[in-house]
Amino acid sequence: MSGNSEDIIIRSFSTEGIDQRLLFGQNDVFLRMIESRLSSKLVARGDEISVEGSHDVVEQILRVLHDLSTRLRQGDLISEQYLNYAITMVKENGQGPADDISRQSLLTSALRKEIKPRTVGQTRYVEAIDKSDLVFAIGPAGTGKTYLAVAMAVAELKANLVNRIVFTRPAVEAGESLGFLPGDVRAKVDPYLRPVYDALNDMLQPDKIRKLLEMDIIEIAPLAFMRGRTLNEAFVVLDEAQNTTTAQMKMFLTRIGEHSKAVITGDVTQIDLDDRRRSGLLSVQRILKGIRGIEFVHLTDKDVVRHRLVQDIIKAYDRYESRKHKE
């Protein structure tokens, strides 16, 4: 624990009315995580947690504990990912995220698990899709861009707000082309669209997915197959849009028909085009800026909901790229 002895204070936090097993975590793992992240000492006695540390740190911990208690009272569980997120938000913004994260379930997964936003950024993303017909989600890996787009598409199909779902992405990956892969067109395309299949498998039973694919209610196709079409009453998702050219992006956006909604996702730090400046996801932010009905949502490393190390990996690469550009 950092700080001189004269700087150390002790405050208490009441846990009355809260299930301590959920608040503390198995074997008090959440308390130990808070101690480690915020250089402090936490001791649970009865219905109170004693918090010892510097004045600023203790204030932050009390706000973290308040946020965790709020989340539990809202009926949500605490995970290591959420705790790390709450600590980061308190350190940066002075308050936790519990009150700003949507509690509305988008749909229930095939395993009876509720699917809903898990960060403030994801909440803004879902709200943007709900109110706008064209949404761009730009951010690093692990922020739920594709997963939440698929969830919203399935939810709107189930609610009969659209008649079909179309998932597409450019067939550009790490310098390889479709001809590199064996098999027919479907066999060549499927590996590029694996994240979409993975998300669908989380949300629908396998036999239901097969039926919807056979009936063309769900269509999964490469971007090249979109040329010349008009997509009416559809929820359309363009994934990995950083690998479109400006011309391809324009082609896709002009496919959108009446009563349709489109979500475009991408990570501008993972452009696989030979010339990254040709990326349609970079140019579209300038071209469509300020048009009513179009929203750009920028997710960050704080919205990463994968393994806790993914955030650190993204930050490390950002620092590396920043140093590289300065050299």
Side-chain angles (χ1 to χ4, degrees):
M1 186 167 57
S2 60
N4 299 322
S5 58
E6 61 266 28
D7 299 325
I8 300 303
I9 66 170
I10 299 176
R11 296 272 299 278
S12 62
F13 180 85
S14 174
T15 61
E16 187 175 355
I18 302 170
D19 189 332
Q20 292 185 346
R21 294 170 300 176
L22 300 179
L23 180 62
F24 297 172
Q26 187 174 9
N27 298 322
D28 295 346
V29 64
F30 296 153
L31 299 186
R32 304 291 81 83
M33 285 175 62
I34 294 172
E35 287 180 332
S36 176
R37 286 282 310 270
L38 291 168
S39 301
S40 58
K41 182 178 180 182
L42 277 66
V43 178
R45 296 192 184 94
D47 287 340
E48 288 191 344
I49 300 175
S50 172
V51 183
E52 180 179 344
S54 68
H55 180 273
D56 290 345
V57 164
V58 168
E59 286 298 318
Q60 289 178 340
I61 291 173
L62 293 178
R63 291 178 184 179
V64 169
L65 292 172
H66 174 75
D67 184 82
L68 300 181
S69 301
T70 298
R71 185 168 176 84
L72 290 174
R73 290 192 178 99
Q74 290 172 343
D76 290 308
L77 296 177
I78 298 168
S79 63
E80 291 189 18
Q81 179 271 329
Y82 180 82
L83 175 54
N84 277 314
Y85 178 55
I87 292 172
T88 298
M89 294 296 282
V90 166
K91 290 174 72 173
E92 293 190 3
N93 303 326
Q95 65 180 32
D99 287 330
D100 294 321
I101 297 177
S102 172
R103 296 169 58 196
Q104 181 179 357
S105 175
L106 305 181
L107 73 159
T108 302
S109 74
L111 298 177
R112 314 304 300 172
K113 178 182 176 182
E114 286 191 339
I115 297 173
K116 52 189 173 182
R118 293 165 62 181
T119 69
V120 176
Q122 288 189 352
T123 296
R124 295 194 187 108
Y125 177 30
V126 168
E127 289 173 347
I129 296 174
D130 196 44
K131 70 180 183 180
S132 300
D133 288 338
L134 182 56
V135 176
F136 291 83
I138 302 169
T143 51
K145 302 184 300 297
T146 302
Y147 193 85
L148 289 174
V150 174
M152 289 293 284
V154 172
E156 295 217 354
L157 181 67
K158 285 187 171 184
N160 295 316
L161 296 175
V162 295
N163 291 333
R164 60 196 305 244
I165 302 172
V166 178
F167 298 111
T168 186
R169 68 186 289 187
V172 177
E173 194 82 21
E176 296 170 355
S177 64
L178 287 176
F180 164 79
L181 297 167
D184 59 16
V185 171
R186 181 69 177 269
K188 291 173 183 288
V189 168
D190 278 359
Y192 292 95
L193 291 155
R194 194 70 249 170
V196 173
Y197 283 106
D198 290 342
L200 284 173
N201 285 326
D202 270 2
M203 298 166 199
L204 297 169
Q205 296 292 342
D207 57 339
K208 181 69 171 178
I209 296 172
R210 283 194 297 271
K211 182 178 179 181
L212 292 173
L213 286 168
E214 288 170 2
M215 297 173 65
D216 266 348
I217 293 174
I218 293 180
E219 179 184 354
I220 303 176
L223 182 59
F225 284 23
M226 298 297 108
R227 190 174 300 277
R229 301 176 61 183
T230 300
L231 303 171
N232 294 318
E233 298 181 349
F235 194 116
V236 190
V237 179
L238 170 59
D239 196 29
E240 297 290 329
Q242 74 274 6
N243 288 327
T244 62
T245 63
T246 298
Q248 287 175 323
M249 179 65 77
K250 179 184 177 183
M251 180 274 289
F252 170 79
L253 294 175
T254 53
R255 300 309 94 204
I256 302 167
E258 293 185 346
H259 309 297
S260 287
K261 189 182 289 282
V263 178
I264 297 92
T265 72
D267 177 0
V268 293
T269 70
Q270 295 193 31
I271 297 172
D272 295 315
L273 299 173
D274 293 336
D275 182 356
R276 72 184 313 274
R277 292 171 298 181
R278 295 173 56 232
S279 171
L281 191 58
L282 291 177
S283 60
V284 77
Q285 297 178 67
R286 301 186 297 271
I287 295 169
L288 301 186
K289 183 179 180 181
I291 296 180
R292 179 180 293 183
I294 299 176
E295 287 206 46
F296 289 88
V297 178
H298 293 270
L299 301 169
T300 71
D301 59 90
K302 299 182 192 65
D303 299 301
V304 171
V305 292
R306 292 180 183 169
H307 192 285
R308 63 177 180 82
L309 287 176
V310 175
Q311 283 190 11
D312 295 332
I313 290 168
I314 291 169
K315 289 178 181 177
Y317 271 94
D318 285 345
R319 289 193 297 269
Y320 169 77
E321 291 295 333
S322 179
R323 289 195 303 268
K324 187 176 176 183
H325 288 314
K326 290 178 181 178
E327 291 175 355

